[in-house]
Amino acid sequence: MASYPESTGGAEPASGPAPAPAPASAPASSQSPPPPQHHQLHEYDGLSSHIPATTVAHHGLQVLQAASAAQPTPDTADLAQQYAQSAAMQMGDPQFAQSLASPTVAPTPTTPGTSASQRVTRLRRACDMCSQRKVKCDESGPPCKPCSDLQVECTFNRAMKRRGPPNKHAEAARAAKRPRNEDASPVPQHAAETLVSIAAHDSNGGLDAESIAPWPILELLVDDFFTYIHPLMPFPHEPTFRAQLASRMDKSSGEFLALLAGMIGALVASFPRSARSHLKAQHSTGLFPTAVSMIDHCRCVALEARGSRFMMKEEMSVDDAATSYFLGISAAHTLQFRLCKRFLTETITFCRELSSHRQRSMPVVEGSIPGLAQALHAAAAKPINHVNDQIGKRIFWVMVAGVRSMTQLGVSINEIPLPPPTSQEPYPEQPAEVDDEYIFPDRILPQPEGTISLITGFNHNIRVYMTMNELVGVDMCYGISFFDWTAQKNILTNGLNSAKQAAEDLPPELQVRADNLEKLQNHTMGLDDSGLEYCPPTFPTPQPANDVRRIFAEEPMRRRHLQFEIQKANIQMSQLATRSYFVERYLNLRDARHANPTFAESVKTEVKDERDDMMMNEREVIVQNLVVVLASISQRNMEPNGCSLINKIRQVASTLLNKNGERKEQTAAKAEEYLNGFLSILMKLEKIGAAPRADTMTPQDEEEELRNWSSLKEYQQQFMSSGGYEGIGY
């Protein structure tokens, strides 16, 4: 929740009479009575009375009002008597009240028009029971009459509360005198007290969803997450999450708030165009001067929402694993790879704890431990929560793709052990190819016929990276150099062929065809060519006709097509990067072998292998395929893939550098043309940003302004100065 600074009051005037202090409330019964005071006699129209001057000054108005209400005007002696009695009642001093019984002035008979009800009868303090019951206490006791009638104890133990704002000076003085050990929390003596103590401190600390961003902006960012990022990272479960957000679960659950903050951070890191456009449309650009500042803010909210006892939880949830992954991917997109690997290690640990990827089979142990078999069978018979089961599988498989992608970039992943599956440690089944709206805790409904699920594209991307399992297993166990050159060529060639086959059975929605390139380039389904924009809410008036959300609501297939375009870019680039990885590993090993004097003689006598030429041709084909992919998918639809797509383009583009002079002059000229084109695309994607078009700014001005907002120049310089990917290993 938003916090506001305290307003500091002005200084008190240096001169002038000090105001009379307000009458303090009567002390509790446990306190000692005040020391006796010698009251000075004061003259009132020639009459003397044992009345303190301060009391008279304070309560005179009440007595005058009561006196003026009487029909006959009392004389001065009667007025003084009433004056004194009112002051005594307010002061609550028994001795003082007794002294009034024999005043120096003889009492005058009460005028017939004067009644007791006209006198001030405000009580000094009600007893505890009357205060709780909110009834009038006659203060005749203890016990008072209401307590006596109820036959309950009449006490005055509750603390008195001072009205008005606290006195800062008095509070500071009391705090200075208070012993230090009084501030310490008492040590609970029982387990129940311990749990209550923990629960009392296990709150969000005043945080809620609006600690991330203003609510109107937050709602738009959540919509964009499920439109642009969810096709690539299909968690959390959308219907469940939206229901929890609508019920404001962020106010009561730190786990949910951390998940929400992680999602927004991942959106801003992957697709800063979205966040910037909403901030500008809502006139809130001053909240976050840069995209990195917004990502850091989301990370801080997520970690604070988790709390200091997060790692002490008995069981982690799929939401905890998803939050860790979002924090890791946000760090990766800002080139903070050390931080990224910490969060990803946390994610894979949570996945293992959830046992979403492990099929437990313990026939030997079951027979050796009495009763264990029954316990395992009982656990197996427990109903499966299909929502958590499917989300857990999706998180695990997105981790597989992420770790394999980092391997291709040359990032050390020793701290994220993810070996290939074996018969003893198999991977879980791939997620069911069913959209979220058909998955319920107790059942999974079939996907409607003729409708392609977003999980279909997600699983196809996984299969591309699964072609690396053989090579990864060899590298982790022995290293590929352990085998002879023939075995090395077989491993790499088999991996290349598998990667090429992984994208052959794609559904038409996810395919890119060179013979259909002109039609693809001229289609009007994408947002870049249609003039659609994100417009601020105009409720109750209708949204503009070109508003993205209005189009999505009226034509749901436009949204689904956009998501397929995002997945298409991811799948196609993953396949090209994987193929390029196998080709470059092959050619690098071949060149290293030729340069090694040990194999100089054997190289001369070797029969030329046609696989060498095949790999060289494959390198050229990969570059040509990349040109087709980049030409067929709009920039806006590529951007949600973030730095993952950028690294894949850079990985393929680096093969165009003529390091060994093997390319012929014509081929080299074509390669240079391709390289320049790729560099131009990379410059746009690495500093992306756009917003709704404004009348006072040209599209070029918008692009430049938002490019600066999402710039990672400082982080790129730090990344390169630390040695790049090779400098982040442990």
Side-chain angles (χ1 to χ4, degrees):
M1 298 184 56
S3 61
Y4 303 93
E6 283 191 5
S7 60
T8 56
E12 297 180 359
S15 61
S25 301
S29 59
S30 60
Q31 296 179 351
S32 59
Q37 300 179 1
H38 299 283
H39 303 293
Q40 183 179 358
L41 296 180
H42 297 273
E43 296 295 330
Y44 185 83
D45 286 347
L47 301 177
S48 61
S49 176
H50 294 275
I51 305 173
T54 55
T55 304
V56 174
H58 183 74
H59 301 287
L61 179 60
Q62 297 180 3
V63 176
L64 290 175
Q65 291 175 345
S68 61
Q71 292 296 333
T73 304
D75 58 13
T76 56
D78 186 31
L79 180 61
Q81 179 68 15
Q82 295 180 25
Y83 211 154
Q85 290 180 356
S86 173
M89 291 177 66
Q90 295 295 333
M91 293 183 62
D93 189 346
Q95 296 180 359
F96 182 70
Q98 184 177 2
S99 65
L100 294 175
S102 55
T104 56
V105 180
T108 304
T110 305
T111 310
T114 305
S115 63
S117 61
Q118 293 174 335
R119 299 179 180 178
V120 178
T121 58
R122 180 179 179 182
L123 298 179
R124 178 190 58 169
R125 180 185 182 191
C127 69
D128 298 340
M129 179 59 69
C130 291
S131 176
Q132 293 177 6
R133 296 173 58 207
K134 298 188 182 302
V135 298
K136 186 175 181 180
C137 179
D138 61 4
E139 206 181 14
S140 61
C144 64
K145 189 176 185 305
C147 290
S148 179
D149 294 341
L150 295 174
Q151 296 182 356
V152 296
E153 184 180 4
C154 184
T155 60
F156 292 82
N157 296 330
R158 74 184 189 282
M160 295 295 294
K161 294 182 179 180
R162 179 181 180 273
R163 294 186 178 183
N167 189 306
K168 297 182 179 180
H169 302 288
E171 293 291 336
R174 281 192 288 269
K177 294 182 179 181
R178 185 185 304 122
R180 294 179 180 271
N181 55 5
E182 287 185 10
D183 295 334
S185 300
V187 179
Q189 301 296 328
H190 304 286
E193 294 180 7
T194 304
L195 294 176
V196 171
S197 177
I198 292 176
H201 292 81
D202 189 19
S203 61
N204 291 354
L207 293 176
D208 60 9
E210 294 182 87
S211 302
I212 304 171
W215 186 259
I217 297 177
L218 193 67
E219 289 183 311
L220 301 178
L221 293 176
V222 170
D223 288 342
D224 280 358
F225 176 89
F226 285 108
T227 298
Y228 293 100
I229 307 302
H230 203 252
L232 306 173
M233 311 170 198
F235 44 86
H237 186 250
E238 182 174 1
T240 301
F241 179 87
R242 288 191 178 276
Q244 293 172 339
L245 183 64
S247 65
R248 293 308 303 267
M249 193 172 177
D250 56 284
K251 292 180 176 292
S252 59
S253 172
E255 178 181 308
F256 178 80
L257 178 59
L259 174 64
L260 175 61
M263 292 166 56
I264 302 303
L267 171 68
V268 178
S270 304
F271 194 34
R273 176 189 297 273
S274 164
R276 177 65 182 187
S277 64
H278 297 319
L279 289 172
K280 190 166 186 178
Q282 298 288 338
H283 307 287
S284 302
T285 54
L287 292 176
F288 305 103
T290 64
V292 175
S293 65
M294 189 171 184
I295 296 169
D296 290 341
H297 175 72
C298 291
R299 182 188 301 126
C300 291
V301 172
L303 295 178
E304 189 173 351
R306 280 182 162 183
S308 59
R309 296 180 175 86
F310 170 69
M311 282 298 179
M312 298 171 60
K313 291 176 63 175
E314 185 67 24
E315 293 183 1
M316 295 297 173
S317 66
V318 291
D319 287 347
D320 292 327
T323 301
S324 296
Y325 182 81
F326 290 139
L327 295 177
I329 207 68
S330 300
H333 282 252
T334 53
L335 304 180
Q336 298 170 294
F337 279 97
R338 291 184 184 273
L339 189 60
C340 166
K341 289 193 288 186
R342 293 171 193 160
F343 285 120
L344 294 186
T345 304
E346 191 175 85
T347 305
I348 198 64
T349 302
F350 294 165
C351 287
R352 290 193 174 100
E353 290 184 11
L354 293 168
S355 300
S356 59
H357 67 290
R358 184 175 302 171
Q359 298 176 356
R360 299 184 182 275
S361 178
M362 305 172 62
V364 178
V365 181
E366 287 179 13
S368 60
I369 302 178
L372 179 60
Q374 296 180 355
L376 292 175
H377 291 313
K382 185 178 180 180
I384 298 176
N385 186 316
H386 292 288
V387 171
N388 292 340
D389 179 63
Q390 292 298 314
I391 296 300
K393 290 177 179 178
R394 296 177 187 180
I395 297 174
F396 174 82
W397 282 107
V398 83
M399 275 295 302
V400 172
V403 172
R404 296 292 182 261
S405 180
M406 294 172 68
T407 300
Q408 294 180 8
L409 295 174
V411 180
S412 172
I413 57 170
N414 294 330
E415 60 278 4
I416 315 176
L418 191 58
T422 63
S423 58
Q424 298 297 323
E425 292 287 338
Y427 284 178
E429 297 177 353
Q430 292 185 359
E433 295 183 357
V434 178
D435 288 330
D436 284 359
E437 55 262 36
Y438 306 109
I439 302 177
F440 301 90
D442 58 341
R443 66 191 185 280
I444 300 178
L445 301 179
Q447 183 77 10
E449 294 185 6
T451 304
I452 303 298
S453 170
L454 289 177
I455 307 302
T456 300
F458 177 78
N459 286 345
H460 274 284
N461 190 62
I462 291 171
R463 292 165 196 161
V464 171
Y465 286 105
M466 288 293 286
T467 62
M468 296 177 58
N469 281 342
E470 183 181 6
L471 180 57
V472 170
V474 168
D475 287 338
M476 294 184 70
C477 295
Y478 312 103
I480 196 169
S481 299
F482 175 82
F483 300 93
D484 58 25
W485 175 231
T486 302
Q488 294 177 21
K489 290 192 290 186
N490 291 336
I491 293 172
L492 294 170
T493 303
N494 293 339
L496 175 62
N497 293 332
S498 299
K500 295 172 70 174
Q501 295 174 1
E504 289 182 353
D505 59 343
L506 287 171
E509 292 85 350
L510 300 175
Q511 292 180 5
V512 173
R513 298 184 181 276
D515 56 357
N516 199 30
L517 180 58
E518 182 178 355
K519 181 179 178 180
L520 286 171
Q521 286 178 310
N522 295 329
H523 71 76
T524 59
M525 298 291 286
L527 298 181
D528 284 349
D529 304 323
S530 60
L532 300 183
E533 297 179 351
Y534 285 98
C535 302
T538 59
F539 182 83
T541 59
Q543 291 293 106
N546 64 334
D547 179 53
V548 172
R549 288 177 177 78
R550 177 176 178 177
I551 297 298
F552 287 165
E554 296 175 353
E555 304 177 41
M557 289 308 299
R558 295 286 292 269
R559 181 175 185 262
R560 179 53 58 96
H561 177 84
L562 171 65
Q563 293 173 326
F564 282 145
E565 290 291 298
I566 295 171
Q567 283 190 334
K568 182 193 299 183
N570 186 42
I571 296 170
Q572 297 294 334
M573 290 306 307
S574 296
Q575 194 230 23
L576 292 177
T578 303
R579 288 164 56 189
S580 179
Y581 177 70
F582 285 120
V583 169
E584 297 308 310
R585 283 288 296 266
Y586 183 100
L587 297 178
N588 289 339
L589 288 171
R590 184 204 63 177
D591 296 342
R593 187 170 184 274
H594 289 176
N596 192 336
T598 306
F599 303 104
E601 295 298 329
S602 60
V603 168
K604 295 178 181 179
T605 59
E606 282 181 357
V607 179
K608 185 176 181 180
D609 193 339
E610 61 182 10
R611 285 181 290 189
D612 292 352
D613 294 334
M614 185 269 290
M615 287 293 183
M616 289 299 301
N617 293 333
E618 183 67 19
R619 174 190 270 178
E620 305 296 335
V621 172
I622 291 172
V623 173
Q624 294 173 6
N625 291 345
L626 178 59
V627 173
V628 173
V629 171
L630 296 180
S632 63
I633 303 176
S634 65
Q635 176 183 335
R636 182 186 287 266
N637 296 339
M638 288 189 289
E639 286 175 6
N641 289 274
C643 72
S644 173
L645 185 78
I646 294 172
N647 290 329
K648 293 168 185 175
I649 297 175
R650 184 183 290 111
Q651 178 182 341
V652 176
S654 64
T655 65
L656 295 171
L657 300 175
N658 192 15
K659 298 178 181 178
N660 299 325
E662 296 183 12
R663 292 188 173 92
K664 298 179 181 179
E665 182 177 353
Q666 182 177 2
T667 307
K670 192 67 175 177
E672 184 177 357
E673 179 184 350
Y674 288 153
L675 183 60
N676 291 333
F678 294 153
L679 290 176
S680 176
I681 294 174
L682 285 172
M683 290 176 64
K684 293 179 180 179
L685 292 177
E686 286 189 304
K687 298 181 177 65
I688 56 178
R693 288 183 286 273
D695 296 336
T696 58
M697 297 183 68
T698 65
Q700 292 78 10
D701 294 335
E702 293 280 358
E703 200 72 26
E704 179 64 25
E705 175 187 308
L706 302 171
R707 182 180 295 117
N708 294 332
W709 185 75
S710 58
S711 174
L712 299 176
K713 184 176 181 180
E714 178 181 354
Y715 284 84
Q716 289 170 338
Q717 292 175 348
Q718 296 177 359
F719 178 67
M720 296 306 299
S721 63
S722 63
Y725 293 114
E726 296 180 357
I728 60 176
Y730 292 101

